[in-house]
Amino acid sequence: MRISVLGLGYIGLPTAAMFANRGFNVVGFDVDPDKVKRVNDGLFDIEEPGLRAFLRDAFNTGNFRASGELVESDVFIICVPTPIDKENKPDLSCVIDAGKRVSKVLKKNDLVILESTVPPGTTENVILPLLEKSDIEGGEDFSLSYCPERVMPGKILKELTENQRIIGGIDKNSCQRAKELYSTFVEGDIFTTDPTTAEFSKLAENTYRDVNIALANEFARLCELHRTDVWDMRELANNHPRVDILKPGPGVGGHCLPVDPWFLVNGDTGLINKARDINEGMIDHLEGLIREHTGEGGIVVLLGTAYKANTEDDRNSPSMKLSERLDDFDVRLHDHCVKRHEGEIHGVVEGAHSVVLMVDHNKYKDTIKPEEVLKLMEGNTVIDTRAFFDPEEWRNAGARYILLGSNRL
Ligand code: SAJ
């Protein structure tokens, strides 16, 4: 059985390698000739634990190659990007392009699977009409399913096999065929439904998290106003058996949470839209705190440029947005995990007026010592956005320690 995977990115590449390693004949298709060449040379830009060796295994089976030409196959899996435009509207151009390409080589009995995150209704209203021709009808002559990817960067290979999967087929046979295919490597449960429910559930998962983080961020700002501490309050409230308040912070980064909720918003200004505003607004709030506590044009160090703890992924990271805002300051970026921001911590904090902890990487626990850092700094402002440091330790060492979401008298 030949499988073509369209899009050799974060999801397509590991998925293609996975099927090749399970004995399928796999062609990884990409529109970018440079990417095709690099993958065939075993070179690619994704920093994902284990992926390099996994891809090498795939090549060694003799079952895998990358290509700039989409050839006839039995299965097509579409894993192309679906970004949002400047107005936060979904940009489906890559998905549409992929659908058109598949349509040119589609034949009877093929199975088409869409994995890209899309607005509800896309599989049935956009992809299906692109694939149907006068002599070939969806369900009757070919199968079509929506199977969202749900893996987390840094754990892709583990989560590809261990996570549960949702399959939304346009008919029973489409569900069954996709389920059989994924069962060759998925160890978690596989649930079947219709395409729109599957599309919606993927968006609902990430929107649920974004809205809950927005509530935590709203609490943080209210606690500052009421001169109390969100972190203590949260711990107390979370003792309730049915309450689980998430952690506030400098905003929500990554490639999923700041994007996926917009696929549901669809022009309205309700809760989901508001939550996005609150999370994005944390950057304004933090900018205000930094401006208030750092002298004009001073040196500001942002510790952590990844989008969250212990990852090297810096897509949509709050630190990158914040550094653009502070262009009238001398901003220094540091991150143990992000290659271009690595460096010796003492050199980075030397002469700084403010140090802002943006990401709670474990490594900062061992490398940041309050007395040593304060001795090197010009000012003494330390802003902690994650309740990561020990306030007493910093204050005893002479810091003006400011904790996001806390403003006790
Ligand atoms: N964050 C907070 N407070 C919290 C938790 C997270 O501010 O209490 C921030 C993080 O610092 C980060 C952002 O939210 O900036 C996103 O981090 P995350 O761990 O919540 O989510 P992602 O984007 O790494 O992965 C999510 C996951 N979805 C859910 O947990 C519902 C993952 O399972 C999905 O596979 C992934 O999106 C995806 O690709 O859709």
Side-chain angles (χ1 to χ4, degrees):
M1 188 194 280
R2 179 188 279 158
I3 300 179
S4 278
V5 177
L6 289 88
L8 296 176
Y10 277 84
I11 303 301
L13 193 56
T15 302
M18 180 68 81
F19 278 115
N21 283 329
R22 296 291 151 134
F24 293 94
N25 171 5
V26 181
V27 181
F29 166 84
D30 204 284
V31 289
D32 178 356
D34 195 45
K35 192 175 267 181
V36 168
K37 187 177 177 310
R38 287 171 63 76
V39 169
N40 279 331
D41 290 344
L43 302 163
F44 49 90
D45 311 319
I46 308 169
E47 292 288 338
E48 181 62 35
L51 185 58
R52 206 160 289 277
F54 196 63
L55 196 68
R56 204 178 309 124
D57 292 346
F59 277 117
N60 288 343
T61 61
N63 292 334
F64 178 63
R65 71 187 165 91
S67 171
E69 191 198 349
L70 189 64
V71 289
E72 281 197 354
S73 308
D74 306 288
V75 180
F76 297 91
I77 305 180
I78 301 174
C79 304
V80 296
T82 45
I84 44 171
D85 66 16
K86 287 205 174 75
E87 271 111 50
N88 298 322
K89 299 242 157 49
D91 172 1
L92 294 182
S93 54
C94 294
V95 165
I96 292 172
D97 178 72
K100 285 181 180 162
R101 286 173 194 273
V102 172
S103 146
K104 283 189 189 138
V105 290
L106 187 71
K107 50 183 181 18
K108 287 197 175 178
N109 296 321
D110 287 352
L111 165 64
V112 182
I113 293 171
L114 178 62
E115 284 208 15
S116 311
T117 304
V118 290
T122 303
T123 304
E124 281 180 301
N125 302 328
V126 179
I127 298 299
L128 182 59
L130 282 175
L131 299 177
E132 286 190 320
K133 302 174 217 168
S134 54
D135 59 334
I136 182 161
E137 196 188 322
E140 196 62 39
D141 302 303
F142 67 90
S143 302
L144 173 62
S145 288
Y146 180 70
C147 309
E149 61 82 9
R150 293 151 96 201
V151 293
M152 200 180 248
K155 292 187 187 164
I156 293 182
L157 293 180
K158 184 174 183 287
E159 293 207 351
L160 261 184
T161 48
E162 289 180 6
N163 284 7
Q164 300 169 339
R165 271 323 265 237
I166 298 174
I167 290 177
I170 58 166
D171 64 351
K172 253 191 170 166
N173 195 32
S174 296
C175 286
Q176 196 46 40
R177 290 182 67 191
K179 188 171 177 176
E180 271 167 29
L181 186 70
Y182 283 98
S183 301
T184 58
F185 69 85
V186 173
E187 290 160 14
D189 291 333
I190 302 180
F191 304 102
T192 56
T193 181
D194 61 275
T196 306
T197 307
E199 290 162 339
F200 203 118
S201 66
K202 158 77 196 199
L203 298 172
E205 289 164 18
N206 284 343
T207 302
Y208 170 88
R209 197 154 170 82
D210 195 48
V211 169
N212 278 287
I213 296 170
L215 183 63
N217 283 332
E218 184 86 335
F219 285 155
R221 289 163 71 160
L222 288 169
C223 280
E224 286 180 14
L225 213 72
H226 289 285
R227 296 200 157 261
T228 183
D229 181 300
V230 73
W231 306 93
D232 286 349
M233 180 285 289
R234 170 178 178 265
E235 216 173 292
L236 293 171
N238 280 350
N239 285 320
H240 187 287
R242 286 178 296 283
V243 172
D244 185 11
I245 302 168
L246 291 180
K247 288 186 191 153
V252 169
H255 62 301
C256 300
L257 265 58
V259 177
D260 294 2
W262 291 117
F263 288 50
L264 284 178
V265 164
N266 204 12
D268 69 68
T269 52
L271 176 67
I272 299 170
N273 198 321
K274 188 70 196 158
R276 283 276 72 243
D277 283 351
I278 291 171
N279 288 337
E280 289 297 316
M282 292 311 285
I283 290 293
D284 305 320
H285 184 62
L286 200 50
E287 182 188 349
L289 275 180
I290 293 170
R291 287 190 184 280
E292 190 187 330
H293 295 282
T294 312
E296 237 171 76
I299 299 174
V300 180
V301 175
L302 302 184
L303 295 177
T305 58
Y307 85 89
K308 67 175 180 180
N310 308 318
T311 172
E312 66 255 340
D313 194 334
D314 62 356
R315 286 177 289 174
N316 290 320
S317 92
S319 281
M320 301 315 287
K321 285 184 207 159
L322 186 59
S323 69
E324 278 170 29
R325 296 282 191 85
L326 298 171
D327 58 357
D328 49 332
F329 286 82
D330 180 357
V331 179
R332 293 182 191 162
L333 302 171
H334 180 272
D335 197 305
H336 285 300
C337 304
V338 178
K339 273 207 183 83
R340 65 197 164 105
H341 298 136
E342 269 175 354
E344 210 269 314
I345 201 81
H346 291 149
V348 180
V349 298
E350 191 165 1
H353 298 93
S354 297
V355 168
V356 187
L357 189 281
M358 296 288 286
V359 182
D360 42 347
H361 288 315
N362 291 342
K363 219 168 163 192
Y364 280 135
K365 279 260 190 265
D366 316 322
T367 50
I368 307 269
K369 302 276 176 252
E371 289 210 354
E372 288 172 17
V373 168
L374 283 163
K375 223 179 264 168
L376 291 163
M377 284 172 68
E378 181 71 33
N380 68 341
T381 299
V382 174
I383 302 178
D384 184 351
T385 69
R386 301 277 177 180
F388 181 71
F389 291 138
D390 178 348
E392 284 317 300
E393 222 186 313
W394 281 97
R395 286 184 181 132
N396 290 342
R400 178 157 42 153
Y401 174 86
I402 297 155
L403 176 60
L404 183 87
S406 175
N407 192 13
R408 279 218 176 96
L409 275 177

